Amino acid sequence: MKDTPMSNCERDFILKAIEEKKRLDGRQTYDYRKIKITFGTDYGCCFVDLGQTRVMAQVSCELVVPKENRPNEGIMFFNLELFPSPLVYPLQSELSVKLNRQLERCLRNSKCIDTESLCVVSGEKVWQIRVDVHTLNNDGNLMDAASVAAIGALCHFRRPDVSIQGEEVTVVSQPGPTRRGFIVRCLHHSIFFFLTFLLVDPCEREERVMDGLLMIAMNKHREICSIQSSGGIMLLKEQASRLELADSSLDNYQKDLKAGGRCGFAESMPQERITALKTDQTAVEMTDVSETASSIVQTAVAPPQTVPSPSVPVPGVGQVGEGLRNTWGLEEEEEEEEDVEMDVVEILDSDEEEEEVVILYPETTKKPK
Amino acid sequence: MTSFSCDKHRFHREGGMMEVFPSSTVSLREFGCEQTLLSRPDGSASFVQGDTSVMAGVYGPAEVKISKEIYDRATLEVLVHPKVGLPGVRERSQEQCVRETCEASLLLSLHPRSSLTLVLQVLHDDGALLSCCLNAACMALMDAGLSMSCLFCGVTCAISADGEIITDPTAAQEKESRALMTFAIDSKERRVMMSSTKGSFSVHELQQCVAASQKASEKIFQFYRDSVRRRYSKNL
């Protein structure tokens, strides 16, 4: 399915509005949408709502053999999936690859997780941390939401403790905190070329009309960890530094992370909306269940007899094998063999198509049994 | 795990039947639903049963690839995304169960040469996952406004080691159960549209579970009715 294309008048409208410093939802050019971060019931699950963009991340871990060139370091694996999956919409696969690479570069190269702390037995067993990010709704700025969700999930995750006794390594089910370097945050800015306007946190409509994209990842010391620029835009150094300073939401984000308690998705469902409804635990009436069941069983039709090795004497079907009657090349002679054995079951639902099968024989018609 | 898509069941008649105790502590966990929570899909819903939650999104009717088009019906595709890892064989079998149920209840001939895509994202799995997927799928299809001949709901039953029937089991209960069954029940005549079972059980137990699921489905259909009524009511 292809995405509905954007009409020209819509595109012109958005561009013209940006020229007058107006955005579709009334924000200023450097305003962010409201971010809501919630955590799931099990450790390592984080939901992020950035306006209408919704993303979920889940962290899981596993003990594996480390890479040969890095025996002391754990392994981090990132996976980002778009909803729906790119197998269905091939045009989205390009976007999926791009987002995966950006997420990996942003989180892996910034060393936000200290991989050496993931080592259990050097050269033999290390932790492999797997971060799965699922985008539930794409309303623009997926990269930012995905990175927030991934970092949130990593902060929320608890790694199980391991006890080593000689050669044996046992995993104790009580989880302990993961040690991490520092928090990284990705910022997503879109650039409009001929108007030389920079917009922060574009929504999906704005993303479609933008000319270029600049993504800056920073850590909490306001050092740039990675920059990704696409679209061939030349940016003045002053503009880039201005963007950094304009980001005050990084501090709020850190506060949110610390304050985020464990509330499952179930509890976070809003109650006051008319589109949501919740009921309590209900009991199910089971008084006459056994009587109904018995009556059904008694009046049921007896099942057909099962046979150990059914043979199907329909033209066009043969069987070959040890202990079975070899009917290879013997379709002409089937009428002669009328002996019905004890364990032959007639399968009555014959496919009419099968009877019209034309069997091609080689020159020698009769094959030795 | 065996799965059927028709009403009649074929089963082996065993020698001795197990004595099944009529249980009185059968209950459904608390469930909740939210519709239209995603802006991009045409219809979306999230269904929560206890701690198990599944989010469903429906796209359609939309353009279909020529290789997949059917001349007189819509092509329904179901995708199940697990929480961790890539979709595997288990997800494929769940997709097949959901797809067969949906195809039996949707009026597909109203949208020939179109595609309907149903995407299910597992948000948390605490038992009864397949029935939660079915319920979320039904609510999302309703939210998208697709014509259906009947609604459907999913109920999971587990038979514990001592023969007790538990509806809507948690993950811990599922692990210790002897058999696990999921049924999709339709809303018009409360018949079984799809069943997916795992484990060994007797004929009598199967019929008891079917009867229990039919009883439980009444509650779920009443819940569907209440949520739609609430949605279109003028006051909360």
Side-chain angles (χ1 to χ4, degrees):
Chain A
M1 189 188 87
K2 294 192 271 278
D3 237 346
T4 45
M6 198 175 216
S7 58
N8 282 339
C9 41
E10 197 171 359
R11 177 188 295 265
D12 292 337
F13 175 75
I14 296 179
L15 287 174
K16 225 177 173 131
I18 292 172
E19 222 175 299
E20 298 169 13
K21 292 211 193 284
K22 289 199 180 103
R23 290 175 81 165
L24 277 186
D25 44 9
R27 288 185 279 159
Q28 301 293 316
T29 44
Y30 290 132
D31 276 351
Y32 247 84
R33 286 176 282 187
K34 204 169 69 153
I35 294 187
K36 189 172 111 164
I37 303 174
T38 44
F39 296 98
T41 29
D42 51 350
Y43 287 115
C45 179
C46 177
F47 295 95
V48 169
D49 293 353
L50 181 63
Q52 290 275 6
T53 302
R54 297 175 74 135
V55 167
M56 174 188 93
Q58 172 71 46
V59 176
S60 55
C61 68
E62 197 186 10
L63 278 174
V64 295
V65 177
K67 291 198 188 134
E68 284 178 8
N69 50 346
R70 290 191 201 283
N72 285 333
E73 289 184 11
I75 304 174
M76 292 213 50
F77 186 75
F78 297 97
N79 181 36
L80 188 142
E81 273 191 40
L82 295 175
F83 178 101
S85 77
L87 300 169
V88 180
Y89 304 104
L91 299 171
Q92 276 196 359
S93 61
E94 206 184 290
L95 176 66
S96 159
V97 166
K98 195 169 81 153
L99 291 174
N100 262 300
R101 286 289 301 127
Q102 279 178 3
L103 182 70
E104 208 174 310
R105 200 149 32 108
C106 175
L107 293 178
R108 196 194 289 274
N109 299 344
S110 62
K111 306 253 182 295
C112 61
I113 288 270
D114 183 18
T115 43
E116 299 217 343
S117 68
L118 297 174
C119 176
V120 173
V121 177
S122 166
E124 283 177 27
K125 289 235 178 287
V126 297
W127 283 113
Q128 171 178 298
I129 305 264
R130 189 198 165 99
V131 181
D132 284 290
V133 180
H134 300 277
T135 61
L136 304 171
N137 199 33
N138 177 11
D139 194 35
N141 206 3
L142 264 185
M143 194 55 235
D144 205 353
S147 68
V148 168
I151 296 287
L154 284 168
C155 290
H156 191 241
F157 182 60
R158 298 285 174 260
R159 183 190 53 179
D161 278 330
V162 172
S163 68
I164 308 173
Q165 292 157 354
E167 289 293 312
E168 273 185 24
V169 176
T170 31
V171 178
V172 173
S173 60
Q174 266 186 25
T178 47
R179 227 188 311 155
R180 56 191 179 274
F182 40 81
I183 297 174
V184 169
R185 170 76 188 287
C186 293
L187 302 172
H188 199 190
H189 310 275
S190 66
I191 307 166
F192 290 78
F193 178 46
F194 59 93
L195 301 170
T196 64
F197 274 120
L198 283 146
L199 284 189
V200 170
D201 188 18
C203 69
E204 199 253 338
R205 300 263 144 210
E206 291 165 353
E207 262 189 1
R208 288 222 219 173
V209 288
M210 72 185 175
D211 299 302
L213 192 68
L214 175 70
M215 189 204 76
I216 301 179
M218 294 198 293
N219 64 7
K220 70 177 181 194
H221 305 293
R222 299 209 178 275
E223 295 162 357
I224 295 183
C225 295
S226 87
I227 294 188
Q228 156 108 8
S229 162
S230 54
I233 306 299
M234 291 180 294
L235 199 60
L236 300 167
K237 203 167 69 166
E238 294 83 36
Q239 282 178 321
S241 47
R242 193 168 12 121
L243 288 174
E244 257 183 69
L245 297 169
D247 174 41
S248 59
S249 51
L250 188 63
D251 303 317
N252 294 341
Y253 159 64
Q254 288 202 354
K255 258 189 279 171
D256 281 341
L257 272 187
K258 293 205 170 25
R262 277 189 59 213
C263 67
F265 187 77
E267 281 96 40
S268 76
M269 230 175 57
Q271 287 304 308
E272 296 83 34
R273 297 205 194 141
I274 54 170
T275 50
L277 185 61
K278 214 166 171 194
T279 61
D280 292 323
Q281 199 171 12
T282 49
V284 178
E285 273 285 316
M286 284 274 286
T287 42
D288 58 347
V289 160
S290 53
E291 285 88 16
T292 344
S294 318
S295 61
I296 292 175
V297 168
Q298 274 156 20
T299 53
V301 172
Q305 203 183 4
T306 55
V307 290
S309 57
S311 84
V312 185
V314 174
V317 174
Q319 55 187 19
V320 172
E322 217 175 281
L324 295 173
R325 227 180 42 196
N326 191 344
T327 56
W328 189 265
L330 292 177
E331 277 79 4
E332 307 163 338
E333 304 176 16
E334 267 208 22
E335 299 89 55
E336 300 172 15
E337 301 179 13
E338 281 286 328
D339 50 330
V340 178
E341 292 157 19
M342 276 306 290
D343 55 352
V344 170
V345 173
E346 294 282 331
I347 309 279
L348 296 170
D349 55 338
S350 69
D351 223 329
E352 276 93 30
E353 291 174 23
E354 278 186 8
E355 291 167 9
E356 294 171 7
V357 168
V358 174
I359 301 158
L360 300 173
Y361 288 106
E363 288 305 307
T364 55
T365 49
K366 204 163 176 176
K367 268 201 132 166
K369 229 192 201 167
Chain B
M1 199 156 26
T2 50
S3 75
F4 309 93
S5 57
C6 57
D7 260 331
K8 299 199 217 353
H9 293 248
R10 292 201 185 160
F11 35 75
H12 293 287
R13 210 178 273 268
E14 288 180 8
M17 285 202 302
M18 268 209 63
E19 189 69 35
V20 183
F21 309 117
S23 104
S24 54
T25 56
V26 167
S27 62
L28 295 170
R29 294 180 279 183
E30 56 176 18
F31 44 85
C33 156
E34 191 183 347
Q35 292 186 308
T36 329
L37 59 158
L38 303 176
S39 64
R40 299 278 285 150
D42 296 320
S44 57
S46 84
F47 204 86
V48 172
Q49 274 177 228
D51 271 337
T52 307
S53 42
V54 171
M55 188 177 286
V58 174
Y59 294 82
E63 207 181 308
V64 69
K65 269 204 264 199
I66 310 260
S67 57
K68 292 196 188 151
E69 77 169 6
I70 304 177
Y71 72 98
D72 62 345
R73 290 173 30 206
T75 311
L76 176 67
E77 255 179 81
V78 179
L79 296 161
V80 172
H81 287 300
K83 198 168 185 193
V84 175
L86 296 168
V89 176
R90 180 182 308 189
E91 281 73 39
R92 292 275 171 265
S93 77
Q94 288 171 344
E95 283 168 18
Q96 187 183 11
C97 294
V98 174
R99 186 178 62 240
E100 288 175 355
T101 315
C102 294
E103 281 184 353
S105 65
L106 281 170
L107 297 177
L108 294 175
S109 50
L110 287 180
H111 310 283
R113 290 198 188 86
S114 311
S115 80
L116 299 172
T117 309
L118 172 65
V119 186
L120 295 160
Q121 170 73 53
V122 176
L123 298 173
H124 192 248
D125 181 9
D126 190 35
L129 182 65
L130 185 55
S131 56
C132 198
C133 287
L134 285 164
N135 294 333
C138 187
M139 299 229 74
L141 290 171
M142 272 202 287
D143 188 43
L146 290 168
S147 309
M148 303 207 273
S149 63
C150 63
L151 298 178
F152 56 89
C153 79
V155 185
T156 302
C157 285
I159 304 181
S160 67
D162 51 358
E164 202 184 318
I165 294 183
I166 309 166
T167 50
D168 205 13
T170 60
Q173 286 170 329
E174 273 188 0
K175 225 174 175 180
E176 293 160 17
S177 65
R178 174 166 48 93
L180 187 68
M181 320 182 199
T182 303
F183 300 106
I185 314 258
D186 85 314
S187 63
K188 280 213 285 211
E189 291 163 27
R190 304 282 184 272
R191 284 156 56 125
V192 174
M193 294 170 86
M194 185 277 302
S195 87
S196 169
T197 67
K198 183 169 88 156
S200 67
F201 44 88
S202 72
V203 164
H204 192 75
E205 285 171 342
L206 171 69
Q207 289 300 339
Q208 274 201 302
C209 287
V210 170
S213 307
Q214 285 168 332
K215 285 269 162 47
S217 68
E218 318 233 334
K219 297 269 189 307
I220 303 186
F221 288 129
Q222 186 58 42
F223 175 72
Y224 285 176
R225 215 168 278 129
D226 289 340
S227 0
V228 176
R229 187 179 298 137
R230 177 183 164 107
R231 193 169 162 189
Y232 293 109
S233 65
K234 297 249 169 68
N235 43 9
L236 265 181

